[in-house]
Amino acid sequence: CDFPLFNTINTLHRGDFYSNCIEGATAGTGPRQPWHDNHAKVEGPAALDIKQNFDERWNKQACEHISRLYALDEEEFVLDAIPQIPETEGGHWALQLFRSITSDSCVLLDNDRTPHLHHKGGRIVENSIMRCMTQQIRNAKNFIYMENQYFLGSAYAWMENSDTLAQHIIPLEIAQKICDKISQGEEFRAYIVIPMFPEGIPTTGPIQEILYWQFRTIQAMYRRIANAIQENGTETVPTDYLRFFCLAKREGPEDVPVDELEEPTEGSQPATIRSTLRHCIYVHSKMTIIDDDYVLIGSANINQRSLAGERDTEIAMGGYQPNHTIEEEGDPRGDIHTYRMALWTAHFGGFDVAFLNPNTQECMDKVHEISQTFWDVYTADDPE
């Protein structure tokens, strides 16, 4: 992935300019704001679950005179007509839909068949995305890989500001999994990719507040892991088990078509970027991979708004390939593994054999080595 800043503004990306992190940036001056994201396409029987989600939302929110939807059942769906996936492509999938949603937004039936629902503020609430993440983290045996637009939560464990309304448990679940593995003497690693800063002008109050909350979250995780290391007398440090990364891009002077671009105002942020030729890549992903065995992709951020269930409405699809599970293979080598390797090869600029087994110290060391090299290039006085 090239993530161009300047050199495609008037060619490939003519008419497709967006920049919300640099004040005063235009299609005339640049730079473009690079984005990284993940998407999933669902085919087969699981698509009916997505349609049911649509039906339940439509029937709740549409006006009465347009609320009738065409009923589509499995017989009409003709499941037998779906092409069989060759085993060479990894085999079939087992998929499940997860949501953060309330009865304000859709028809939710609270009965014996829906034990995962609860009541809050007079509403029925589903927070199955957080429940799925929690279950998969607790089941993890080797590693966790996450890409997410935000990473803040478990405020109850923060060293300060523990009354902040971000009490969901995901960050501390990850830290506790690592602590458990340390006490058991087993290898385990967690790699988490987030943006360098949330979208917007980084010096503004709301962005600084989010960065502060993320700092408190990460601090609490490292503190918990450090205590486990001390209790078990392990000659390691917390970053041997858990690391956070961001994506960034730096171009060389030859990549900027100066003759085709406007000269930015002296002293402006676009002028600074024209000089440094660097910009963070905005990570918009909401993706979790566990052990190359399970993948969850959707719209939920690692924050209270997305995971609580009673706030933002989110959807996600989680799944695995029965022929490529950790129980079947030890080190799964199905499509989830292939997908993660493709992501890592893009992020790290190439393939390394250490990437095959992320639970090892060899892999964590290699990832750190490459990341440090890239950071040195990114922060050097002169672009190259």
Side-chain angles (χ1 to χ4, degrees):
C1 299
D2 291 333
F3 298 106
L5 303 180
F6 293 99
N7 63 3
T8 60
I9 288 178
N10 293 317
T11 54
L12 179 63
H13 293 107
R14 179 183 293 276
D16 177 22
F17 180 85
Y18 180 85
S19 182
N20 197 35
C21 294
I22 302 298
E23 191 171 14
T26 68
T29 64
R32 297 180 71 255
Q33 178 181 322
W35 279 60
H36 171 69
D37 215 335
N38 308 94
H39 303 276
K41 175 184 177 182
V42 178
E43 297 178 330
L48 287 176
D49 292 339
I50 297 177
K51 179 188 180 295
Q52 181 180 342
N53 174 73
F54 175 83
D55 291 351
E56 291 174 355
R57 299 197 65 185
W58 180 279
N59 290 335
K60 178 70 176 184
Q61 300 179 51
C63 298
E64 185 175 339
H65 69 283
I66 59 170
S67 63
R68 297 191 178 208
L69 287 172
Y70 181 77
L72 178 67
D73 58 28
E74 291 195 10
E75 291 184 6
E76 190 169 4
F77 197 57
V78 194
L79 298 179
D80 292 339
I82 299 174
Q84 296 297 306
I85 303 173
E87 287 298 319
T88 54
E89 295 183 15
H92 299 301
W93 286 75
L95 296 175
Q96 185 175 358
L97 181 140
F98 302 96
R99 300 186 294 188
S100 292
I101 202 165
T102 74
S103 52
D104 287 339
S105 300
C106 78
V107 178
L108 287 175
L109 301 178
D110 188 10
N111 54 43
D112 293 340
R113 299 182 61 187
T114 57
H116 58 288
L117 301 182
H118 64 278
H119 292 260
K120 187 168 185 178
R123 299 175 294 170
I124 305 172
V125 178
E126 177 177 340
N127 60 355
S128 56
I129 296 177
M130 185 179 72
R131 289 168 178 262
C132 172
M133 283 186 178
T134 302
Q135 184 70 24
Q136 294 305 322
I137 291 168
R138 292 178 181 179
N139 288 342
K141 294 180 173 59
N142 292 327
F143 75 93
I144 295 168
Y145 177 62
M146 282 184 169
E147 296 182 358
N148 208 277
Q149 183 181 10
Y150 297 101
F151 194 88
L152 60 99
S154 302
Y156 57 86
W158 293 0
M159 296 180 68
E160 296 182 30
N161 311 103
S162 59
D163 59 346
T164 302
L165 299 180
Q167 300 292 334
H168 74 86
I169 63 177
I170 297 303
L172 258 290
E173 284 287 337
I174 296 172
Q176 188 59 49
K177 167 58 70 171
I178 293 171
C179 293
D180 292 344
K181 289 293 187 177
I182 291 173
S183 65
Q184 295 161 9
E186 297 178 3
E187 297 273 29
F188 193 89
R189 306 288 182 269
Y191 307 78
I192 300 173
V193 176
I194 56 178
M196 190 179 295
F197 54 87
E199 189 183 19
I201 308 302
T203 55
T204 57
I207 303 302
Q208 287 294 308
E209 188 171 38
I210 293 171
L211 287 170
Y212 177 76
W213 288 338
Q214 291 191 159
F215 167 78
R216 286 295 179 208
T217 302
I218 295 169
Q219 180 187 46
M221 295 175 72
Y222 278 137
R223 183 167 180 257
R224 178 72 64 93
I225 296 168
N227 289 339
I229 290 172
Q230 187 173 27
E231 290 172 4
N232 288 273
T234 308
E235 295 183 1
T236 55
V237 294
T239 50
D240 286 336
Y241 305 96
L242 169 69
R243 284 188 184 270
F244 291 83
F245 305 89
C246 58
L247 304 182
K249 174 63 185 285
R250 191 167 204 184
E251 293 187 335
E254 70 280 0
D255 294 317
V256 183
V258 179
D259 296 339
E260 302 174 13
L261 297 175
E262 299 173 9
E263 194 66 28
T265 303
E266 186 176 353
S268 66
Q269 289 185 4
T272 299
I273 304 301
R274 183 74 66 85
S275 172
T276 62
L277 300 183
R278 62 186 174 212
H279 196 297
C280 64
I281 295 171
Y282 190 65
V283 177
H284 193 253
S285 311
K286 300 96 168 54
M287 185 271 296
T288 300
I289 289 176
I290 306 290
D291 293 337
D292 281 347
D293 176 308
Y294 191 92
V295 63
L296 180 72
I297 297 182
S299 64
N301 295 309
I302 307 296
N303 62 11
Q304 192 70 15
R305 290 182 54 169
S306 285
L307 297 180
E310 82 271 12
R311 299 187 64 182
D312 289 0
T313 299
E314 311 286 6
I315 191 171
M317 185 62 75
Y320 64 95
Q321 292 178 289
N323 293 337
H324 296 283
T325 64
I326 197 164
E327 286 78 12
E328 288 280 334
E329 299 184 333
D331 294 313
R333 294 294 186 256
D335 287 344
I336 299 173
H337 169 79
T338 301
Y339 179 52
R340 180 188 61 80
M341 289 297 294
L343 284 170
W344 283 31
T345 299
H347 294 339
F348 296 117
F351 167 82
D352 193 285
V353 68
F355 299 162
L356 293 172
N357 298 295
N359 64 314
T360 64
Q361 188 62 49
E362 177 189 8
C363 181
M364 181 63 86
D365 290 344
K366 176 56 68 173
V367 165
H368 172 64
E369 174 191 334
I370 296 173
S371 300
Q372 185 63 54
T373 299
F374 286 170
W375 182 249
D376 292 342
V377 172
Y378 186 77
T379 58
D381 291 338
D382 298 315
E384 61 180 70

